[in-house]
Amino acid sequence: MTDFAFPSKKVLIIGSGIGGLSAGIILVKLGFQVTIIEKNRQPGGMMRSYKRNGIECNVGVHYLGSLDKGQMLDRLFDFLGVTGQIPIKRMGTGGVIDRYYMDSDLLPTGMFDMPEGLDAYEQNLYQAFPRERKQITAIVKNLHSATRKINSLEFLFSGQNDFEILEHANPMGELMTQWNCSPGLRAVLGVPAAWIGVPLSACPSFYHNMVLASYLLSSWRLKCSGSQMADVFADRLKSLGGRIITDDAVAKILVTDRIATGVRLRSGQELKAPLIIGALHPKIILGMLPENAVKPSYRKRIARLEDTHGICGVHVAVNADEHPELDHNLFKIHTHPDGNIADMIFYQMRKSEKKEKNLLSILFDVPAEPWEKWSGTRTGCRGRDYNDAKIREAEKRIKGAQSLFGPLENYQILDIFTPLSIRDWVSSPDGTAYGVQRSHRQILSAALLNRTAVKGLFLAGQSVLAPGILGAILGSLVTIKFIIGPQWFKKAFSDLQIG
Ligand SMILES: Cc1cc2nc3c(=O)[nH]c(=O)nc-3n(C[C@H](O)[C@H](O)[C@H](O)COP(=O)(O)OP(=O)(O)OC[C@H]3O[C@@H](n4cnc5c(N)ncnc54)[C@H](O)[C@@H]3O)c2cc1C
C-alpha cells in the first residue's frame, strides 16, 4: 500500500464508532487528511464501555469471531495496525463457545453446544439430530463454501455485486423448509440470525453463514474493556496523523448543487471538505441533508428501511467465589412450535476489575412499547418511574438467570440500559441495536447503501453491509472501494486477500 497515495485530499467522517474509526485509519494510510467528528465526549460509539462501581460494563462488544492468526478479523486488525494492542482471550477451550438452552422439547436434551470448528459443529448437530444427516450435510456444505468465500475476502475484490447478493438472498429459513428440517434444527440454526436481529425466515443465507462461520472459526473475548479497545483505534488514527474532534455533533451536511462541500457542527463551526463519510445510521445522515439535496425517491427509500430491534442490557456484580467466570456464553431460547425463535436472552459471566466480583451481563430483545412513554425524554432526565421500570425489568431477568446460574445472592445491579439509552448514546433511530435489518425483503433497498445520492457523500458503519465489529470494518472497506475505485482498491488492498 506504500506506493499508493491521495495526497492532501480532505475527508470528514461523522461518527467515531468502529465504522468511522476503521474507515479513518484506512483513508489516512492512503494519504487522505482525515478528521473524525464525534458528538460524544469520547470516541468509540457502541464499542466503548462505561464504568459503574469500578466495573467496566460493555455495550456492543461481548465476543468477536475469527481472530486466530490469519483469520479474517485478525488480518483486518493487522492491516489496521491494532493487533497485539487489544488483549483477547480465546473462548470455548472447554469445547463450548455458545450453549443454547431451549425451553421447548424441540431438543431431546433441551441443550445444544456450539463448539469451535466446523467439523465439531457438524458432529454436535449429528448427535443432536441423528435422523437429519442429509439435511446437516447440506447445511454444513454451504457453511464450508461460505467460510472459504468469507475468509478469503474475495467478495471485496470480485467485480461482481458485493456479497454476490442476489445469489445468496434466499432466506436460510426457506432453505431449511425445502430441506425438510425439523423445528429443533431450525431453532439451533436460528440463533446466529437472531443475534444480528433477523429472524431465520427472513435472513439471507449469506448473512446467516457469515455470522455463524465467523464465530465457529474461533471466538474471543476482550481481556480489556470496550473503552480500551476504542482508545486503541482512536490512538492508532491519531498516530498516523488523523484528527478527532469530540463533544461536538454534526448538525448539517453542507450541499451545493447536490455536491457535498462540508459540515456545520452544533457549535456553529463549519468544516469544508470534498469528501464526507457518514459513519452512523443512514436515516440520521438523511436528516442532516438540506431538503432539496436528494431526490424524494432516495429520501423515501432510506426513510422506509426497516431496522433491527432494540436491546436491553443488565449488568450485575455477583460473588466471584459462588459464580466463577465461564469461558462460553449462554443463550436461553424460547421457540414457537415450528422452531422459529420467539425470544432469546444472552448471558455472559466474566471476571471484573474487582477480584471478589464477577460481572453477569444479560442482553435481551424488547418490544418498543414498554419504553415508548419515555421516548420524548433524554437520558438522565427520565425520572423515577423510568428507573423503577428498569429495576423491575432487571429483577425479572436476574430471577430468570437463576435457572442457569443457581441462586444469585447479594448481587448488585450495576446498570440497566434500554433502547432509549442506545438511541441517545449513539443516535441510533429508536435504539436499533444493529442498524438496518439485513433481511431478504430489503436485499435491494439496503444494497449499496455505502453510496448516496449526493456527490462526495458516502456512508459507513454497521448499516451499510453487516453489523458487528467485523461487519462494520468490512463495510468501511466497501465504502473505500467506492471512493477510490475498484482498480486502485485491488492494488492497495491485495495483501488482505488470501486463497
Ligand atoms: C447490546 C449490543 C451488543 C452487541 N454485541 C456485539 C458483539 O458481541 N460483537 C460484535 O461484533 N458486535 C456486537 N454488537 C454490534 C456492534 O457493537 C455494532 O455493530 C458496532 O459497534 C457499530 O459500529 P458503528 O460504527 O456502525 O456505529 P456506532 O458505534 O453507533 O457509531 C456511531 C457514532 O456516531 C456518533 N454520532 C451520532 N450522531 C452524531 C453526530 N450528529 N455527529 C457526530 N457524531 C455522531 C455516535 O456518538 C457514535 O459514536 C452489539 C451491539 C449491541 C447494541
Side-chain angles (χ1 to χ4, degrees):
M1 215 170 96
T2 42
D3 58 344
F4 178 84
F6 283 94
S8 73
K9 185 152 184 185
K10 279 190 184 166
V11 54
L12 301 171
I13 299 179
I14 313 170
S16 69
I18 184 65
L21 286 170
S22 56
I25 292 171
I26 300 167
L27 285 171
V28 90
K29 281 176 76 173
L30 288 172
F32 285 79
Q33 282 182 44
V34 175
T35 302
I36 298 185
I37 304 123
E38 168 57 49
K39 79 173 177 76
N40 289 333
R41 272 201 294 263
Q42 288 167 311
M46 287 202 246
M47 174 168 51
R48 197 160 198 101
S49 52
Y50 56 93
K51 218 175 205 167
R52 293 288 182 273
N53 286 27
I55 294 178
E56 288 284 349
C57 302
N58 279 329
V59 181
V61 189
H62 296 272
Y63 66 141
L64 298 165
S66 295
L67 267 172
D68 208 356
K69 210 72 227 117
Q71 289 180 351
M72 193 174 18
L73 190 54
D74 175 66
R75 294 199 323 271
L76 293 170
F77 274 17
D78 267 354
F79 179 74
L80 293 166
V82 297
T83 307
Q85 293 171 66
I86 301 173
I88 47 170
K89 197 158 121 184
R90 195 177 202 119
M91 293 174 67
T93 50
V96 192
I97 290 171
D98 288 332
R99 175 161 288 168
Y100 308 160
Y101 291 96
M102 303 274 171
D103 69 347
S104 57
D105 53 8
L106 297 182
L107 285 171
T109 59
M111 207 175 90
F112 179 83
D113 283 341
M114 188 191 96
E116 181 179 301
L118 267 71
D119 293 344
Y121 183 67
E122 186 174 14
Q123 289 314 313
N124 284 10
L125 288 175
Y126 285 146
Q127 216 171 356
F129 306 101
R131 296 202 191 140
E132 295 182 77
R133 289 193 78 86
K134 234 169 65 191
Q135 288 88 335
I136 293 166
T137 307
I139 290 167
V140 175
K141 190 172 159 227
N142 275 8
L143 201 53
H144 270 290
S145 122
T147 307
R148 270 191 304 276
K149 278 190 185 155
I150 296 162
N151 200 43
S152 69
L153 295 177
E154 72 177 39
F155 67 89
L156 280 175
F157 298 92
S158 76
Q160 299 171 10
N161 274 341
D162 300 305
F163 272 14
E164 296 166 7
I165 279 166
L166 297 173
E167 195 189 325
H168 296 276
N170 280 347
M172 188 65 196
E174 222 166 75
L175 289 179
M176 292 187 76
T177 306
Q178 279 168 24
W179 293 334
N180 215 6
C181 296
S182 68
L185 188 53
R186 181 181 283 270
V188 166
L189 269 291
V191 178
W195 180 241
I196 57 161
V198 199
L200 193 72
S201 55
C203 188
S205 61
F206 192 93
Y207 285 106
H208 176 271
N209 289 338
M210 173 183 167
V211 178
L212 178 54
S214 77
Y215 284 114
L216 276 174
L217 285 171
S218 66
S219 287
W220 306 77
R221 215 174 254 179
L222 294 180
K223 260 175 38 187
C224 61
S225 67
S227 291
Q228 282 167 292
M229 178 175 175
D231 288 338
V232 167
F233 279 95
D235 291 345
R236 173 68 177 150
L237 176 95
K238 288 189 253 179
S239 74
L240 291 168
R243 187 163 76 113
I244 307 180
I245 299 173
T246 53
D247 205 13
D248 204 355
V250 170
K252 279 270 166 241
I253 296 173
L254 306 173
V255 180
T256 310
D257 298 332
R258 298 211 168 139
I259 300 172
T261 58
V263 298
R264 184 175 309 126
L265 306 189
R266 192 175 45 198
S267 60
Q269 190 186 355
E270 281 194 5
L271 303 171
K272 297 284 186 188
L275 188 58
I276 296 166
I277 299 178
L280 50 131
H281 198 289
K283 288 178 190 167
I284 303 293
I285 293 294
L286 195 65
M288 293 175 180
L289 290 172
E291 194 54 43
N292 58 357
V294 290
K295 285 191 182 147
S297 55
Y298 178 78
R299 206 169 269 283
K300 218 187 268 174
R301 172 164 81 94
I302 300 297
R304 279 188 184 164
L305 287 171
E306 249 179 83
D307 289 319
T308 51
H309 52 68
I311 290 185
C312 270
V314 178
H315 293 292
V316 194
V318 297
N319 191 326
D321 290 338
E322 288 161 26
H323 302 288
E325 178 171 60
L326 293 178
D327 88 335
H328 56 272
N329 304 315
L330 306 180
F331 288 83
K332 211 177 189 182
I333 295 150
H334 171 55
T335 61
H336 295 295
D338 62 5
N340 285 323
I341 293 177
D343 186 34
M344 187 166 93
I345 310 175
F346 167 93
Y347 303 88
Q348 190 171 74
M349 181 73 83
R350 54 179 300 171
K351 289 202 170 88
S352 81
E353 284 67 24
K354 291 187 177 170
K355 210 167 149 244
E356 70 285 5
K357 296 285 177 202
N358 278 345
L359 175 67
L360 170 63
S361 301
I362 310 174
L363 302 180
F364 48 97
D365 306 351
V366 274
E369 301 88 68
W371 310 104
E372 244 161 32
K373 67 174 169 174
W374 294 284
S375 66
T377 61
R378 305 297 300 168
T379 295
C381 314
R382 297 208 166 95
R384 196 155 158 195
D385 52 346
Y386 173 71
N387 281 336
D388 290 348
K390 285 205 305 182
I391 300 277
R392 275 196 305 278
E393 188 67 47
E395 297 283 7
K396 187 171 112 191
R397 302 299 171 165
I398 293 165
K399 201 165 160 206
Q402 305 202 29
S403 64
L404 305 180
F405 296 96
L408 292 164
E409 278 155 19
N410 300 322
Y411 63 79
Q412 184 192 13
I413 299 175
L414 297 170
D415 191 58
I416 306 142
F417 64 79
T418 73
L420 295 180
S421 330
I422 303 263
R423 181 198 69 177
D424 294 354
W425 173 242
V426 293
S427 305
S428 101
D430 297 324
T432 167
Y434 307 112
V436 171
Q437 194 184 54
R438 315 307 309 190
S439 68
H440 76 296
R441 276 188 304 276
Q442 303 205 117
I443 209 86
L444 288 176
S445 50
L448 310 180
L449 275 179
N450 316 63
R451 291 184 296 196
T452 73
V454 175
K455 199 165 172 225
L457 174 65
F458 294 82
L459 302 184
Q462 64 173 355
S463 286
V464 300
L465 185 75
I469 299 301
L470 175 61
I473 298 175
L474 291 174
S476 291
L477 281 163
V478 176
T479 299
I480 287 161
K481 183 170 153 185
F482 282 125
I483 293 172
I484 65 175
Q487 306 284 342
W488 282 114
F489 185 84
K490 216 169 186 165
K491 265 193 196 171
F493 300 104
S494 57
D495 290 358
L496 271 177
Q497 196 178 7
I498 55 167

